Amino acid sequence: MSIPGALKRWVIRVILGIAGMWIAGIIVFGMLPVPFSAVMMERQISAWLHGDFGYVAHSDWVGMDEISPWMGLAVIAAEDQKFPEHWGFDMAAIQKAVAHNERNENRIRGASTLSQQTAKNLFLWDGRSWVRKGLEAGLTVGIETVWSKRRILTVYLNIAEFGDGIFGVEAAARRYFNKPASQLSASQAALLAAVLPNPLRFKADAPSGYVRSRQAWILRQMRQLGGEEFMVQHDLH
């Protein structure tokens, strides 16, 4: 059955309009603070649909010079140790994840870089689908082309979800440690990074044994990367 011409033109306009908004977003957010992300919107709409009108998803934006260098190092150590080197995709990690997932269908492992996670959190939706992964790949190329690594890390830390209704490292630092993000210690940064794989399940204010062991692993990785010198060497702070 063929699609009517009017409907086809409407679909094309919608697709081009969304693509245009994404391109504009990449350009604008390469310079200006991000007021909200797609994940924040998704959480906000879900709260309203469940009758929770007191829920407000937002981020208290801070620049990279207002974030402890330990925090940037912690998320790199935890999520993407090749972040300064790759162009958005860690092919070796992807190959390992594919091999692992073929052997363990019930324990799926991801291989998303910080760049991919930033693209997904900012512009897309939660869930696993080839459509979303394809869009994520295109958006990742876009932000890697337009933004610096420092900018990608800044946006990531400001829109990452660290708990129910807690978005961005500034909100997380004040909520869990009663201090600004600039004053986070290495241990505190590692604890926040430890909950990132599933911030609605793992709790920074009531860490499980698994979260504590992951925190300790992240701290070891931070030391192996070279500590704060790593951030200076790669111009990430």
Side-chain angles (χ1 to χ4, degrees):
M1 183 176 66
S2 62
I3 301 176
L7 178 59
K8 186 183 295 185
R9 288 192 294 273
W10 181 83
V11 170
I12 291 172
R13 290 194 188 103
V14 169
I15 293 173
L16 291 176
I18 293 172
M21 286 191 294
W22 282 338
I23 292 170
I26 290 173
I27 295 171
V28 170
F29 296 143
M31 300 175 288
L32 301 178
V34 177
F36 56 85
S37 68
V39 171
M40 290 181 204
M41 291 178 62
E42 186 176 350
R43 298 284 189 266
Q44 186 68 68
I45 292 170
S46 177
W48 286 340
L49 291 176
H50 287 86
D52 184 359
F53 298 102
Y55 181 97
V56 179
H58 74 286
S59 168
D60 299 320
W61 179 273
V62 285
M64 204 65 198
D65 57 348
E66 299 174 87
I67 301 173
S68 166
W70 294 119
M71 192 67 236
L73 181 62
V75 297
I76 290 172
E79 300 286 308
D80 184 7
Q81 295 189 12
K82 295 183 180 178
F83 176 68
E85 305 164 15
H86 63 60
W87 286 84
F89 308 94
D90 185 341
M91 302 310 297
I94 291 172
Q95 291 172 355
K96 289 180 181 178
V98 170
H100 173 273
N101 296 340
E102 287 176 347
R103 297 191 304 268
N104 304 274
E105 294 182 1
N106 296 324
R107 296 181 62 186
I108 301 300
R109 176 187 295 174
S112 293
T113 62
L114 291 179
S115 304
Q116 289 173 272
Q117 292 180 47
T118 301
K120 188 270 289 183
N121 291 342
L122 184 55
F123 295 114
L124 300 172
W125 61 91
D126 274 341
R128 297 179 181 275
S129 72
W130 288 110
V131 172
R132 201 214 73 185
K133 292 301 290 185
L135 294 172
E136 178 187 292
L139 289 164
T140 298
V141 171
I143 67 173
E144 280 278 352
T145 301
V146 177
W147 298 358
S148 66
K149 289 290 187 177
R150 188 174 189 270
R151 183 62 182 180
I152 294 171
L153 187 60
T154 303
V155 173
Y156 175 85
L157 290 172
N158 274 283
I159 65 175
E161 188 174 21
F162 289 96
D164 188 17
I166 302 170
F167 293 92
V169 65
E170 181 71 10
R174 293 189 180 278
R175 168 65 178 80
Y176 298 125
F177 306 114
N178 195 32
K179 60 173 61 175
S182 61
Q183 296 179 13
L184 287 171
S185 68
S187 179
Q188 291 166 341
L191 180 58
L192 290 181
V195 307
L196 285 173
N198 194 334
L200 300 182
R201 177 185 173 191
F202 303 138
K203 309 295 182 183
D205 53 351
S208 63
Y210 170 78
V211 171
R212 284 299 187 189
S213 65
R214 182 168 167 78
Q215 176 193 23
W217 176 84
I218 292 169
L219 282 167
R220 291 195 298 272
Q221 297 302 305
M222 290 164 68
R223 288 192 292 270
Q224 289 180 15
L225 286 173
E228 290 184 274
E229 288 300 318
F230 177 89
M231 303 296 286
V232 175
Q233 177 185 350
H234 294 286
D235 195 25
L236 293 171
H237 191 268

